[in-house]
Amino acid sequence: MQTWKIATAVLAGCLVSAASTQAASYTHPGPFVTDGGVYSDITETSITDAVPLFGSPTIMPNNLLLFEMTNYNATASNNSSDVTHGALEFTFESDPGEYIQTVILSESGTYSVVGDGSVSAAGTLTIQYYDDVAGEFVILADPIQMSLFPETSFPVENESDGTWAGVALIDLQALGIQTTQIIVALDNNLIAGAGENGSATISKDTMAFNAVIPEPASMALMGLGCLMILRKR
């Protein structure tokens, strides 16, 4: 394996075991009131870069929380590697009488590889839900891995440029969970590596989150709405 590829793999692996005390932290002003509930305690951390990496949250119609970013990227050139780590956590509480049925996260960005290089992305979504019977938050057993597109060429290891997208969906209703409060934790890595005379860069530009989906028909519309917002950007 080429030296820059080894360095990238080692650096990405170190992020998994890094202590939380090494992370820079930033809490966005809030809370953010939507037409279906309240987003609060929006905090991001990074163990590789200064924060904030995520843009300021914006409330959109239909209970959508939108982030638009300008400096969330990984860039490498001439036998170098770069990993950018970003984590985001927040709480959502639905309006009285509303139950959170589905969680949808969509994100997108751009990439470019010139010469010998590669780019990749990875992300997981973890949910804690409030159990009224137990009177405490309960974590779902397994984090949801982001589904990345284009699937057939990601990670990108050939000379090219384009856009990428990631999607994660958790159907709480299908799991038999009825809750009015959730704590959402997103963990993201962008990875770039380049050989001699090569260059690579990948950015995350937009992320949209939706938590309150009252009925199946609305779920389909909200999911489509997230993707349309990302596509337009």
Side-chain angles (χ1 to χ4, degrees):
M1 182 182 287
Q2 295 165 319
T3 303
W4 65 265
K5 290 187 176 180
I6 296 174
T8 302
V10 171
L11 181 56
C14 287
L15 295 180
V16 177
S17 57
S20 59
T21 53
Q22 295 175 301
S25 178
Y26 176 79
T27 299
H28 292 269
F32 295 84
V33 180
T34 77
D35 50 11
V38 179
Y39 291 96
S40 60
D41 302 322
I42 302 176
T43 301
E44 59 174 286
T45 57
S46 175
I47 56 178
T48 61
D49 290 73
V51 293
L53 286 171
F54 293 82
S56 298
T58 301
I59 296 299
M60 304 293 287
N62 297 320
N63 200 39
L64 207 64
L65 184 68
L66 178 67
F67 295 84
E68 294 187 275
M69 294 147 256
T70 58
N71 63 337
Y72 198 137
N73 58 74
T75 302
S77 62
N78 298 322
N79 287 319
S80 68
S81 304
D82 186 26
V83 177
T84 296
H85 166 263
L88 185 70
E89 183 171 307
F90 55 87
T91 299
F92 180 81
E93 182 174 1
S94 62
D95 288 340
E98 298 269 1
Y99 291 102
I100 303 165
Q101 296 184 3
T102 305
V103 170
I104 302 173
L105 177 72
S106 303
E107 59 183 25
S108 67
T110 61
Y111 67 87
S112 176
V113 177
V114 177
D116 181 18
S118 71
V119 294
S120 187
T124 58
L125 184 65
T126 303
I127 300 291
Q128 298 180 61
Y129 66 92
Y130 189 76
D131 188 324
D132 290 328
V133 176
E136 61 184 8
F137 280 93
V138 178
I139 190 170
L140 291 180
D142 298 314
I144 302 299
Q145 299 293 323
M146 296 287 292
S147 297
L148 298 172
F149 305 94
E151 294 178 296
T152 54
S153 59
F154 222 64
V156 177
E157 296 183 332
N158 57 301
E159 186 165 324
S160 62
D161 59 78
T163 60
W164 66 274
V167 178
L169 184 149
I170 302 175
D171 190 339
L172 297 177
Q173 186 180 43
L175 296 174
I177 296 170
Q178 183 170 284
T179 186
T180 59
Q181 296 182 62
I182 57 173
I183 298 175
V184 179
L186 169 68
D187 196 272
N188 259 162
N189 289 330
L190 297 184
I191 305 167
E196 187 174 357
N197 299 319
S199 65
T201 183
I202 180 170
S203 67
K204 181 161 74 167
D205 304 326
T206 308
M207 188 185 79
F209 182 86
N210 185 268
V212 175
I213 315 296
E215 54 192 23
S218 297
M219 183 182 73
L221 291 175
M222 296 295 185
L224 179 61
C226 286
L227 294 176
M228 288 300 292
I229 286 173
L230 298 179
R231 177 180 285 252
K232 287 180 180 179
R233 286 165 173 77

